[in-house]
Amino acid sequence: MKVLDKFVDVLGKPINFNFLMASFLTSLFLLATNFLPVQYLNKLHLEVFLDKYNYVVIIVFFVSFFLLVIHFTARRSKKKEDAAFNKFYSEKQDDMFQDYQSLEILEELYREHPDAVRLPMYNQKVKLLEQYGLITKASSQAIVNMRRPTFPYILQPIAEDRLKKMHSEN
């Protein structure tokens, strides 16, 4: 499975996709020239080339075609996974606004906004609010009291906007 994931990652890069698309279109064009009359093939100097290398063109065509199909399928499944994750993430953020303990923490941060508020580092609700992108640490370091460790946190813009909207409705 890891090999397939790496393979899809390599194919997913834009430069590789462009190369695949160019290979596919070039081989398609060369295969289409097989249906031209001989006089046109002579004028284009393709008769000898096609006699010698037509099998290579066919191989390149089918390989690039199937790699493009794999690429589009992988891209589509990635979009579905991303959409499902974004929906889950949004639902969890909404849940945090429904939970009264989380809402208390958010309200405290909103009252002190734009200043940071020291919150307990190991509090479950603080951890969840941070995990779901509603709050963030104000700095990477802080002086911590070992008895009751706290850390400065600030609101993320999405939480601030949501709280503003909630306060304007009241």
Side-chain angles (χ1 to χ4, degrees), residues 97-159:
F97 278 96
Q98 302 304 319
D99 180 37
Y100 79 95
Q101 292 173 331
S102 298
L103 194 55
E104 282 179 5
I105 293 170
L106 290 169
E107 288 290 345
E108 182 181 353
L109 285 165
Y110 185 71
R111 277 191 303 274
E112 298 295 323
H113 182 71
D115 295 325
V117 174
R118 296 187 77 74
L119 298 173
M121 284 176 58
Y122 302 119
N123 182 294
Q124 178 192 21
K125 297 301 179 182
V126 172
K127 290 283 192 188
L128 288 172
L129 288 167
E130 185 178 10
Q131 179 180 344
Y132 294 120
L134 297 173
I135 65 173
T136 188
K137 290 180 179 171
S139 68
S140 61
Q141 306 174 33
I143 299 172
V144 176
N145 178 356
M146 294 313 262
R147 293 174 128 182
R148 188 167 185 264
T150 59
F151 209 86
Y153 286 90
I154 56 174
L155 282 175
Q156 288 283 47
I158 188 169

Side-chain angles (χ1 to χ4, degrees), residues 14-155:
I15 191 147
N16 295 335
F17 174 74
N18 291 342
F19 177 75
L20 268 176
M21 189 59 89
S23 299
F24 174 73
L25 292 175
T26 303
S27 60
L28 179 65
F29 170 74
L30 288 172
L31 284 176
T33 60
N34 282 314
F35 298 106
L36 291 175
V38 176
Q39 62 202 27
Y40 292 124
L41 290 176
N42 286 334
K43 285 183 182 179
L44 295 171
H45 304 289
L46 288 175
E47 186 175 20
V48 174
F49 174 80
L50 290 174
D51 285 341
K52 285 185 179 180
Y53 301 110
N54 204 29
Y55 71 95
V56 174
V57 172
I58 291 171
I59 291 170
V60 168
F61 173 76
F62 282 113
V63 167
S64 61
F65 174 75
F66 287 116
L67 289 176
L68 283 172
V69 168
I70 290 169
H71 176 80
F72 283 123
T73 305
R75 185 180 278 182
R76 188 171 185 196
S77 68
K78 176 90 169 101
K79 282 184 180 179
K80 281 185 178 180
E81 287 174 9
D82 289 347
F85 176 76
N86 288 338
K87 181 180 178 194
F88 168 79
Y89 199 74
S90 294
E91 287 173 358
K92 289 299 179 183
Q93 285 179 336
D94 292 341
D95 290 347
M96 290 287 108
F97 278 96
Q98 302 304 319
D99 180 37
Y100 79 95
Q101 292 173 331
S102 298
L103 194 55
E104 282 179 5
I105 293 170
L106 290 169
E107 288 290 345
E108 182 181 353
L109 285 165
Y110 185 71
R111 277 191 303 274
E112 298 295 323
H113 182 71
D115 295 325
V117 174
R118 296 187 77 74
L119 298 173
M121 284 176 58
Y122 302 119
N123 182 294
Q124 178 192 21
K125 297 301 179 182
V126 172
K127 290 283 192 188
L128 288 172
L129 288 167
E130 185 178 10
Q131 179 180 344
Y132 294 120
L134 297 173
I135 65 173
T136 188
K137 290 180 179 171
S139 68
S140 61
Q141 306 174 33
I143 299 172
V144 176
N145 178 356
M146 294 313 262
R147 293 174 128 182
R148 188 167 185 264
T150 59
F151 209 86
Y153 286 90
I154 56 174
L155 282 175

